[in-house]
Amino acid sequence: MGWIDDYVSLASAMEAPEVAHRWVAVSIMATVLSRRVWVDLGFKHLYPNHYIVFVADSGHGKSEAQRWGYLNVLGPVVRETDCNQVLRDYI
C-alpha cells in the first residue's frame, strides 16, 4: 500500500465516498510537494500541476472530506514548514 491508500483507509470511517478521500489525498500530496519535485528536461524543469475540482450533488461529503484532510493531515505539516509558501500554493 502507498501513502494514498493509507490515507483512504484512515479516512474511510467518514461518510464521504472513497473517491473524494482519494482526491483529497492527491491534493494534499501536491500541496506538500509544491515545487520541490520536477522532471529535468535539460533546458528547463517540468513541475507537476494539479487542477482538482470536486463535483457532486450536495450532501455527498465533498466539503467534509476536504476539511478533514486539510485539518488533520495538512495542518500539522503546514505548522512544521513555511506556512506562507503552502498557503500561496493552495490559493
Side-chain angles (χ1 to χ4, degrees):
M1 287 180 80
W3 186 85
I4 293 176
D5 291 329
D6 291 343
Y7 175 86
V8 171
S9 294
L10 180 67
S12 65
M14 297 177 48
E15 292 181 21
E18 178 183 328
V19 67
H21 292 302
R22 189 163 300 281
W23 281 105
V24 168
V26 170
S27 68
I28 290 171
M29 185 178 292
T31 301
V32 171
L33 291 177
S34 185
R35 292 180 60 90
R36 295 179 191 93
V37 176
W38 64 85
V39 175
D40 188 358
L41 298 176
F43 57 95
K44 71 175 187 175
H45 291 150
L46 177 64
Y47 297 95
N49 287 316
H50 290 88
Y51 297 94
I52 300 169
V53 179
F54 289 88
V55 178
D57 293 333
S58 36
H60 278 79
K62 300 178 303 289
S63 297
E64 178 186 0
Q66 292 171 350
R67 190 175 306 112
W68 189 88
Y70 292 129
L71 292 176
N72 294 303
V73 178
L74 189 58
V77 172
V78 170
R79 288 186 207 106
E80 295 178 9
T81 60
D82 180 7
C83 296
N84 293 327
Q85 178 63 41
V86 173
L87 288 175
R88 278 191 304 269
D89 292 345
Y90 182 69
I91 296 172

XYZ file of all heavy atoms in Angstrom:
732
model
N 0.834 -1.188 0.000
C 0.000 0.000 0.000
C 0.874 1.245 0.000
O 1.875 1.302 0.692
C -0.902 0.026 1.226
C -2.038 -0.962 1.191
S -3.063 -0.891 2.672
C -4.072 0.510 2.324
N 0.439 2.237 -0.727
C 1.139 3.505 -0.753
C 0.495 4.510 0.191
O -0.465 4.203 0.905
N 1.029 5.728 0.178
C 0.538 6.760 1.071
C -0.932 7.075 0.803
O -1.712 7.251 1.742
C 1.390 8.028 0.931
C 1.021 9.061 1.929
C 1.484 9.162 3.204
C 0.059 10.109 1.766
N 0.880 10.209 3.838
C -0.004 10.815 2.976
C -0.748 10.520 0.710
C -0.836 11.903 3.161
C -1.589 11.610 0.895
C -1.623 12.293 2.104
N -1.328 7.156 -0.451
C -2.719 7.488 -0.773
C -3.664 6.402 -0.258
O -4.708 6.702 0.327
C -2.895 7.725 -2.286
C -2.135 8.990 -2.695
C -4.365 7.814 -2.666
C -2.143 9.286 -4.170
N -3.305 5.137 -0.438
C -4.141 4.049 0.074
C -4.223 4.084 1.599
O -5.284 3.833 2.177
C -3.606 2.698 -0.393
C -3.777 2.494 -1.890
O -4.755 3.021 -2.454
O -2.921 1.821 -2.496
N -3.104 4.389 2.259
C -3.110 4.507 3.719
C -4.025 5.640 4.173
O -4.764 5.504 5.136
C -1.690 4.747 4.249
C -0.797 3.531 4.086
O -1.331 2.417 3.871
O 0.430 3.694 4.171
N -3.955 6.764 3.459
C -4.823 7.892 3.795
C -6.289 7.514 3.625
O -7.116 7.798 4.493
C -4.488 9.104 2.910
C -5.438 10.251 3.132
C -5.210 11.171 4.136
C -6.587 10.373 2.362
C -6.101 12.209 4.361
C -7.482 11.404 2.582
C -7.233 12.312 3.580
O -8.125 13.321 3.805
N -6.628 6.878 2.528
C -8.019 6.480 2.274
C -8.490 5.517 3.354
O -9.623 5.625 3.841
C -8.178 5.873 0.858
C -9.552 5.264 0.670
C -7.910 6.933 -0.201
N -7.646 4.597 3.777
C -8.013 3.667 4.857
C -8.265 4.417 6.159
O -9.212 4.117 6.886
C -6.912 2.633 5.079
O -6.782 1.809 3.963
N -7.419 5.397 6.452
C -7.563 6.184 7.674
C -8.857 6.990 7.654
O -9.557 7.099 8.663
C -6.363 7.123 7.821
C -6.341 8.034 9.031
C -6.189 7.219 10.305
C -5.207 9.037 8.906
N -9.190 7.556 6.506
C -10.366 8.420 6.393
C -11.647 7.654 6.082
O -12.716 8.253 5.993
C -10.115 9.468 5.306
N -11.572 6.354 5.937
C -12.746 5.579 5.500
C -13.875 5.557 6.525
O -15.007 5.216 6.180
C -12.330 4.151 5.150
O -11.872 3.494 6.319
N -13.602 5.920 7.761
C -14.660 5.931 8.774
C -15.647 7.070 8.543
O -16.747 7.056 9.090
C -14.044 6.054 10.167
N -15.278 8.036 7.722
C -16.166 9.162 7.441
C -17.191 8.767 6.384
O -17.009 7.796 5.663
C -15.338 10.358 6.955
C -14.382 10.858 8.000
S -13.382 12.188 7.382
C -14.570 13.240 6.632
N -18.240 9.565 6.273
C -19.330 9.240 5.349
C -19.004 9.571 3.896
O -19.678 9.086 2.996
C -20.592 9.994 5.760
C -21.163 9.517 7.070
C -22.421 10.265 7.439
O -23.054 10.848 6.542
O -22.771 10.254 8.617
N -18.013 10.396 3.656
C -17.681 10.790 2.283
C -17.238 9.564 1.485
O -16.645 8.632 2.030
C -16.573 11.833 2.292
N -17.505 9.539 0.197
C -17.114 8.386 -0.623
C -15.596 8.280 -0.771
O -14.873 9.267 -0.641
C -17.777 8.660 -1.968
C -18.081 10.097 -1.990
C -18.234 10.536 -0.570
N -15.161 7.081 -1.061
C -13.724 6.812 -1.187
C -13.069 7.697 -2.244
O -11.938 8.159 -2.069
C -13.494 5.344 -1.521
C -12.028 4.998 -1.705
C -11.800 3.555 -2.106
O -12.580 2.682 -1.700
O -10.814 3.322 -2.825
N -13.745 7.941 -3.342
C -13.159 8.736 -4.414
C -12.847 10.154 -3.920
O -11.843 10.746 -4.314
C -14.047 8.728 -5.673
C -15.353 9.461 -5.430
C -13.316 9.305 -6.860
N -13.685 10.711 -3.059
C -13.419 12.044 -2.510
C -12.157 12.013 -1.658
O -11.300 12.900 -1.756
C -14.609 12.528 -1.688
N -12.019 10.991 -0.821
C -10.818 10.877 0.019
C -9.567 10.678 -0.833
O -8.509 11.228 -0.539
C -10.963 9.715 1.002
C -12.006 9.957 2.041
N -11.980 11.032 2.897
C -13.124 9.265 2.355
C -13.020 10.990 3.697
N -13.739 9.922 3.383
N -9.694 9.908 -1.892
C -8.542 9.663 -2.763
C -8.052 10.979 -3.390
O -6.864 11.262 -3.423
C -8.920 8.642 -3.838
C -7.754 8.149 -4.650
C -8.090 6.871 -5.387
N -8.470 5.767 -4.528
C -7.619 5.005 -3.851
N -6.334 5.221 -3.940
N -8.040 4.009 -3.108
N -8.968 11.809 -3.863
C -8.558 13.065 -4.490
C -8.111 14.112 -3.474
O -7.264 14.949 -3.771
C -9.655 13.587 -5.409
C -9.613 12.834 -6.700
C -10.473 11.857 -7.110
C -8.613 12.952 -7.714
N -10.065 11.370 -8.334
C -8.929 12.036 -8.725
C -7.481 13.744 -7.868
C -8.162 11.889 -9.880
C -6.723 13.605 -9.012
C -7.063 12.689 -9.993
N -8.657 14.060 -2.267
C -8.132 14.924 -1.203
C -6.688 14.532 -0.914
O -5.819 15.392 -0.751
C -9.007 14.846 0.065
C -8.304 15.492 1.253
C -10.347 15.510 -0.174
N -6.407 13.239 -0.878
C -5.028 12.775 -0.644
C -4.096 13.256 -1.748
O -2.974 13.704 -1.473
C -4.999 11.248 -0.544
N -4.540 13.198 -2.993
C -3.713 13.684 -4.106
C -3.451 15.182 -3.959
O -2.334 15.657 -4.154
C -4.379 13.366 -5.466
C -3.671 14.075 -6.605
C -4.394 11.859 -5.708
N -4.483 15.943 -3.586
C -4.288 17.392 -3.447
C -3.381 17.728 -2.266
O -2.587 18.668 -2.348
C -5.637 18.101 -3.318
O -6.263 17.771 -2.104
N -3.459 16.963 -1.175
C -2.552 17.178 -0.041
C -1.121 16.886 -0.458
O -0.197 17.648 -0.159
C -2.968 16.306 1.161
C -4.269 16.832 1.758
C -1.865 16.255 2.203
C -4.867 15.924 2.796
N -0.931 15.779 -1.164
C 0.412 15.428 -1.612
C 0.972 16.508 -2.539
O 2.138 16.906 -2.425
C 0.405 14.067 -2.315
C 1.778 13.574 -2.695
S 1.735 11.950 -3.466
C 1.234 10.952 -2.088
N 0.156 17.011 -3.448
C 0.601 18.050 -4.367
C 0.964 19.327 -3.620
O 1.957 19.989 -3.938
C -0.484 18.341 -5.401
N 0.187 19.672 -2.603
C 0.470 20.872 -1.819
C 1.773 20.732 -1.057
O 2.593 21.660 -1.015
C -0.682 21.149 -0.841
O -1.888 21.313 -1.582
C -0.423 22.399 -0.025
N 1.994 19.587 -0.459
C 3.217 19.373 0.319
C 4.446 19.335 -0.586
O 5.484 19.911 -0.267
C 3.104 18.085 1.162
C 4.425 17.723 1.794
C 2.029 18.257 2.227
N 4.333 18.688 -1.727
C 5.476 18.602 -2.634
C 5.797 19.940 -3.276
O 6.960 20.246 -3.538
C 5.214 17.557 -3.721
C 5.175 16.120 -3.249
C 4.838 15.200 -4.407
C 6.476 15.711 -2.605
N 4.762 20.724 -3.541
C 4.915 22.062 -4.094
C 5.846 22.036 -5.303
O 5.676 21.230 -6.206
C 5.416 22.999 -3.008
O 5.476 24.311 -3.440
N 6.828 22.901 -5.340
C 7.783 22.939 -6.454
C 9.098 22.263 -6.067
O 10.152 22.576 -6.590
C 8.010 24.379 -6.887
C 6.761 24.978 -7.524
C 6.948 26.392 -7.965
N 7.986 26.596 -8.946
C 7.821 26.554 -10.262
N 6.641 26.259 -10.761
N 8.820 26.793 -11.071
N 9.012 21.319 -5.145
C 10.202 20.588 -4.709
C 10.482 19.374 -5.579
O 11.507 18.728 -5.444
C 10.039 20.159 -3.261
C 9.968 21.307 -2.287
C 9.769 20.795 -0.870
N 9.457 21.878 0.025
C 8.227 22.265 0.343
N 7.187 21.640 -0.172
N 8.030 23.260 1.165
N 9.545 19.016 -6.457
C 9.680 17.837 -7.317
C 9.497 18.293 -8.760
O 8.592 19.065 -9.068
C 8.602 16.783 -6.961
C 8.671 15.609 -7.903
C 8.751 16.332 -5.521
N 10.366 17.824 -9.643
C 10.269 18.201 -11.044
C 10.937 17.146 -11.911
O 11.654 16.284 -11.426
C 10.905 19.563 -11.310
C 12.386 19.587 -11.048
C 13.383 19.219 -11.899
C 13.027 19.959 -9.845
N 14.613 19.349 -11.299
C 14.416 19.815 -10.027
C 12.573 20.419 -8.609
C 15.337 20.099 -9.026
C 13.503 20.693 -7.628
C 14.862 20.540 -7.853
N 10.688 17.228 -13.194
C 11.364 16.401 -14.188
C 12.338 17.326 -14.910
O 11.953 18.381 -15.410
C 10.354 15.787 -15.194
C 11.084 15.033 -16.286
C 9.374 14.893 -14.476
N 13.591 16.937 -14.941
C 14.613 17.758 -15.595
C 14.619 17.428 -17.084
O 14.978 16.335 -17.498
C 15.976 17.476 -14.975
C 17.050 18.427 -15.462
O 16.751 19.289 -16.313
O 18.188 18.309 -14.980
N 14.203 18.391 -17.893
C 14.166 18.200 -19.341
C 15.460 18.642 -20.013
O 15.558 18.630 -21.238
C 12.983 18.966 -19.940
C 11.608 18.515 -19.467
C 10.527 19.412 -20.060
C 11.362 17.063 -19.809
N 16.423 19.052 -19.205
C 17.690 19.511 -19.751
C 17.732 21.010 -19.932
O 18.625 21.680 -19.462
N 16.715 21.566 -20.570
C 16.686 23.003 -20.803
C 15.732 23.721 -19.840
O 15.709 24.933 -19.764
C 16.294 23.321 -22.251
C 14.968 22.750 -22.658
C 13.820 23.518 -22.569
C 14.878 21.442 -23.130
C 12.587 22.990 -22.937
C 13.653 20.912 -23.510
C 12.504 21.687 -23.411
N 14.914 22.959 -19.100
C 14.040 23.534 -18.084
C 13.532 22.415 -17.179
O 13.680 21.231 -17.479
C 12.867 24.278 -18.707
C 11.829 23.385 -19.369
C 10.647 24.210 -19.842
C 9.549 23.295 -20.341
N 8.350 24.048 -20.685
N 12.944 22.818 -16.068
C 12.310 21.867 -15.166
C 10.815 21.832 -15.452
O 10.190 22.872 -15.640
C 12.521 22.266 -13.704
C 13.933 22.116 -13.261
N 14.486 22.910 -12.289
C 14.918 21.288 -13.647
C 15.738 22.567 -12.096
N 16.016 21.583 -12.923
N 10.262 20.643 -15.484
C 8.826 20.464 -15.670
C 8.227 20.111 -14.313
O 8.561 19.079 -13.722
C 8.544 19.354 -16.684
C 7.088 18.998 -16.921
C 6.341 20.189 -17.528
C 6.977 17.781 -17.810
N 7.389 21.007 -13.791
C 6.754 20.805 -12.495
C 5.363 20.224 -12.698
O 4.641 20.649 -13.598
C 6.647 22.137 -11.747
C 7.975 22.749 -11.428
C 8.537 23.691 -12.273
C 8.673 22.368 -10.297
C 9.770 24.261 -11.983
C 9.907 22.933 -10.010
C 10.445 23.876 -10.853
O 11.660 24.422 -10.566
N 4.965 19.276 -11.840
C 3.621 18.719 -11.975
C 2.582 19.749 -11.545
O 2.789 20.496 -10.588
C 3.628 17.517 -11.035
C 4.696 17.808 -10.049
C 5.715 18.648 -10.758
N 1.488 19.821 -12.261
C 0.373 20.699 -11.918
C -0.869 19.854 -11.704
O -1.124 18.912 -12.454
C 0.097 21.701 -13.048
C 1.149 22.760 -13.135
O 1.567 23.297 -12.122
N 1.595 23.058 -14.336
N -1.608 20.192 -10.683
C -2.874 19.526 -10.420
C -3.965 20.578 -10.352
O -3.860 21.534 -9.586
C -2.839 18.778 -9.073
C -1.966 17.582 -9.091
N -0.635 17.631 -8.802
C -2.242 16.299 -9.366
C -0.132 16.430 -8.899
N -1.079 15.603 -9.251
N -4.988 20.407 -11.127
C -6.180 21.235 -11.046
C -7.311 20.281 -10.686
O -7.838 19.576 -11.545
C -6.449 21.950 -12.378
C -5.335 22.888 -12.740
C -4.294 22.480 -13.564
C -5.311 24.185 -12.230
C -3.260 23.340 -13.887
C -4.279 25.055 -12.542
C -3.264 24.620 -13.376
O -2.241 25.468 -13.686
N -7.640 20.245 -9.409
C -8.609 19.273 -8.909
C -9.903 20.010 -8.583
O -9.912 20.957 -7.814
C -8.064 18.561 -7.655
C -6.759 17.833 -8.015
C -9.100 17.595 -7.097
C -5.991 17.320 -6.830
N -10.992 19.554 -9.190
C -12.300 20.147 -8.965
C -13.214 19.047 -8.441
O -13.370 18.005 -9.079
C -12.871 20.742 -10.271
C -14.248 21.333 -10.031
C -11.918 21.782 -10.846
N -13.790 19.271 -7.282
C -14.720 18.311 -6.703
C -16.131 18.647 -7.185
O -16.652 19.722 -6.889
C -14.678 18.371 -5.171
C -13.412 17.818 -4.596
C -12.308 18.622 -4.420
C -13.338 16.486 -4.249
C -11.140 18.108 -3.895
C -12.179 15.964 -3.725
C -11.074 16.770 -3.553
N -16.728 17.719 -7.927
C -18.067 17.947 -8.473
C -18.959 16.779 -8.059
O -18.647 15.620 -8.334
C -18.035 18.052 -10.017
C -19.437 18.248 -10.558
C -17.112 19.164 -10.460
N -20.027 17.118 -7.371
C -21.034 16.125 -6.989
C -22.237 16.885 -6.452
O -22.143 18.079 -6.152
C -20.497 15.169 -5.926
N -23.348 16.196 -6.348
C -24.527 16.819 -5.745
C -24.233 17.177 -4.298
O -23.351 16.592 -3.657
C -25.719 15.863 -5.800
C -26.189 15.617 -7.222
O -25.987 16.508 -8.071
O -26.739 14.527 -7.479
N -24.999 18.137 -3.763
C -24.787 18.491 -2.368
C -25.137 17.322 -1.462
O -25.970 16.487 -1.780
C -25.573 19.722 -1.965
O -26.781 19.836 -2.523
N -24.424 17.277 -0.359
C -24.654 16.211 0.605
C -23.842 14.957 0.364
O -24.048 13.949 1.037
N -22.902 14.973 -0.565
C -22.099 13.790 -0.853
C -20.757 13.766 -0.125
O -19.946 12.888 -0.373
C -21.876 13.653 -2.363
C -23.032 13.018 -3.052
N -24.168 13.720 -3.363
C -23.247 11.754 -3.466
C -25.027 12.909 -3.952
N -24.506 11.715 -4.030
N -20.484 14.742 0.729
C -19.288 14.698 1.569
C -18.061 15.355 0.985
O -16.957 15.128 1.483
N -18.216 16.157 -0.045
C -17.043 16.821 -0.645
C -16.348 17.715 0.375
O -15.155 17.582 0.616
C -17.457 17.661 -1.860
C -18.109 16.909 -2.982
C -18.529 17.817 -4.114
C -19.446 18.927 -3.723
N -20.804 18.567 -3.365
N -17.095 18.615 0.970
C -16.512 19.554 1.935
C -16.012 18.838 3.174
O -14.971 19.192 3.729
C -17.535 20.618 2.338
O -17.898 21.384 1.226
N -16.742 17.833 3.622
C -16.343 17.082 4.809
C -15.005 16.387 4.571
O -14.110 16.428 5.427
C -17.414 16.043 5.149
C -17.086 15.184 6.340
C -18.109 14.081 6.561
O -19.080 13.997 5.783
O -17.913 13.307 7.497
N -14.842 15.772 3.428
C -13.579 15.083 3.117
C -12.430 16.080 3.026
O -11.337 15.839 3.553
C -13.710 14.306 1.807
N -12.655 17.211 2.375
C -11.605 18.218 2.246
C -11.232 18.793 3.606
O -10.055 18.916 3.942
C -12.060 19.340 1.316
C -12.205 18.907 -0.112
C -12.872 19.979 -0.957
O -13.377 20.964 -0.449
N -12.869 19.777 -2.267
N -12.228 19.168 4.384
C -11.984 19.756 5.693
C -11.197 18.795 6.580
O -10.230 19.174 7.226
C -13.315 20.139 6.351
C -13.178 20.966 7.596
C -14.535 21.421 8.141
N -15.318 22.121 7.134
C -16.436 21.654 6.594
N -16.918 20.480 6.942
N -17.106 22.350 5.688
N -11.605 17.535 6.612
C -10.932 16.551 7.456
C -9.478 16.380 7.033
O -8.570 16.380 7.858
C -11.661 15.203 7.390
C -11.143 14.235 8.395
C -11.562 14.080 9.679
C -10.072 13.297 8.211
N -10.816 13.110 10.294
C -9.900 12.615 9.427
C -9.252 12.982 7.140
C -8.941 11.627 9.591
C -8.292 12.002 7.315
C -8.143 11.331 8.529
N -9.253 16.256 5.738
C -7.892 16.061 5.247
C -6.991 17.237 5.526
O -5.856 17.078 5.983
N -7.496 18.431 5.276
C -6.655 19.615 5.474
C -6.405 19.896 6.947
O -5.329 20.323 7.318
C -7.267 20.821 4.769
C -7.227 20.672 3.275
C -8.359 20.846 2.503
C -6.050 20.300 2.634
C -8.317 20.676 1.131
C -6.013 20.128 1.259
C -7.145 20.318 0.519
O -7.098 20.138 -0.835
N -7.395 19.655 7.809
C -7.194 19.924 9.235
C -6.350 18.859 9.920
O -5.534 19.167 10.787
C -8.552 20.047 9.948
C -9.386 21.263 9.585
C -10.737 21.210 10.297
C -8.646 22.541 9.926
N -6.544 17.604 9.552
C -5.869 16.516 10.267
C -4.568 16.050 9.642
O -3.747 15.445 10.323
C -6.818 15.323 10.403
C -7.990 15.653 11.281
O -7.806 16.034 12.420
N -9.184 15.559 10.746
N -4.383 16.293 8.362
C -3.153 15.837 7.705
C -2.303 17.018 7.273
O -1.135 17.119 7.635
C -3.465 14.927 6.496
C -2.194 14.512 5.800
C -4.256 13.710 6.944
N -2.885 17.920 6.519
C -2.107 19.052 6.013
C -1.794 20.058 7.111
O -0.699 20.625 7.137
C -2.849 19.737 4.870
C -2.070 20.802 4.111
C -0.796 20.207 3.531
C -2.909 21.414 3.025
N -2.704 20.268 8.045
C -2.488 21.233 9.128
C -1.199 21.005 9.897
O -0.385 21.914 10.042
N -0.954 19.789 10.417
C 0.304 19.551 11.137
C 1.542 19.720 10.250
O 2.581 20.177 10.718
C 0.171 18.095 11.611
C -1.296 17.838 11.647
C -1.879 18.671 10.531
N 1.450 19.384 8.977
C 2.590 19.551 8.071
C 2.868 21.023 7.862
O 4.015 21.469 7.866
C 2.319 18.847 6.711
C 3.399 19.185 5.703
C 2.218 17.346 6.910
N 1.801 21.810 7.700
C 1.961 23.243 7.470
C 2.625 23.896 8.664
O 3.480 24.762 8.523
C 0.589 23.899 7.170
C 0.687 25.413 7.178
C 0.072 23.417 5.839
N 2.280 23.470 9.854
C 2.862 24.069 11.049
C 4.360 23.831 11.132
O 5.078 24.595 11.747
C 2.172 23.530 12.292
C 0.790 24.073 12.452
C 0.148 23.657 13.758
N -1.283 23.645 13.556
C -2.012 22.550 13.434
N -1.482 21.365 13.532
N -3.313 22.630 13.240
N 4.847 22.756 10.513
C 6.265 22.433 10.581
C 7.050 22.986 9.397
O 8.252 22.870 9.352
C 6.446 20.917 10.640
C 5.880 20.310 11.901
C 6.013 18.801 11.915
O 6.693 18.253 11.037
O 5.432 18.177 12.804
N 6.380 23.570 8.415
C 7.058 24.112 7.240
C 6.730 25.586 7.099
O 6.168 26.193 8.000
C 6.626 23.365 5.962
O 5.227 23.515 5.791
C 6.984 21.891 6.015
N 7.070 26.154 5.999
C 6.787 27.556 5.733
C 5.309 27.716 5.402
O 4.864 27.430 4.295
C 7.661 28.033 4.562
C 7.421 29.484 4.214
O 6.687 30.175 4.956
O 7.983 29.931 3.204
N 4.534 28.177 6.374
C 3.086 28.312 6.208
C 2.744 29.221 5.041
O 1.821 28.938 4.282
C 2.453 28.873 7.477
S 2.606 27.795 8.893
N 3.463 30.311 4.892
C 3.154 31.250 3.821
C 3.314 30.602 2.450
O 2.499 30.818 1.560
C 4.032 32.497 3.915
C 3.706 33.307 5.147
O 2.561 33.347 5.576
N 4.701 33.939 5.715
N 4.341 29.799 2.257
C 4.563 29.146 0.968
C 3.438 28.174 0.657
O 2.918 28.140 -0.452
C 5.912 28.419 0.951
C 6.184 27.683 -0.349
C 6.277 28.600 -1.540
O 6.860 29.670 -1.444
N 5.692 28.210 -2.657
N 3.038 27.375 1.629
C 1.965 26.399 1.406
C 0.664 27.127 1.097
O -0.087 26.739 0.198
C 1.818 25.463 2.604
C 0.603 24.552 2.453
C 3.074 24.617 2.778
N 0.378 28.200 1.818
C -0.855 28.944 1.551
C -0.834 29.580 0.180
O -1.831 29.590 -0.529
C -1.066 30.005 2.628
C -1.475 29.461 3.988
C -1.543 30.581 5.007
C -2.808 28.742 3.919
N 0.320 30.086 -0.248
C 0.409 30.650 -1.600
C 0.144 29.577 -2.634
O -0.541 29.810 -3.633
C 1.795 31.265 -1.827
C 1.951 32.645 -1.272
C 3.229 33.290 -1.770
N 4.411 32.523 -1.481
C 5.163 32.652 -0.383
N 4.831 33.539 0.526
N 6.234 31.933 -0.218
N 0.670 28.388 -2.414
C 0.444 27.289 -3.361
C -1.015 26.865 -3.355
O -1.576 26.496 -4.381
C 1.324 26.085 -3.025
C 2.783 26.358 -3.260
O 3.101 27.360 -3.933
O 3.609 25.581 -2.770
N -1.640 26.875 -2.183
C -3.034 26.435 -2.065
C -3.972 27.433 -2.735
O -4.921 27.061 -3.382
C -3.399 26.242 -0.595
C -4.804 25.751 -0.400
C -5.178 24.465 -0.782
C -5.763 26.579 0.154
C -6.476 24.023 -0.625
C -7.072 26.133 0.323
C -7.402 24.864 -0.066
O -8.682 24.414 0.100
N -3.683 28.713 -2.556
C -4.536 29.749 -3.144
C -4.224 29.822 -4.599
O -4.885 29.856 -5.492
C -4.305 31.106 -2.461
C -4.730 31.007 -1.001
C -5.063 32.207 -3.171
C -4.376 32.209 -0.176
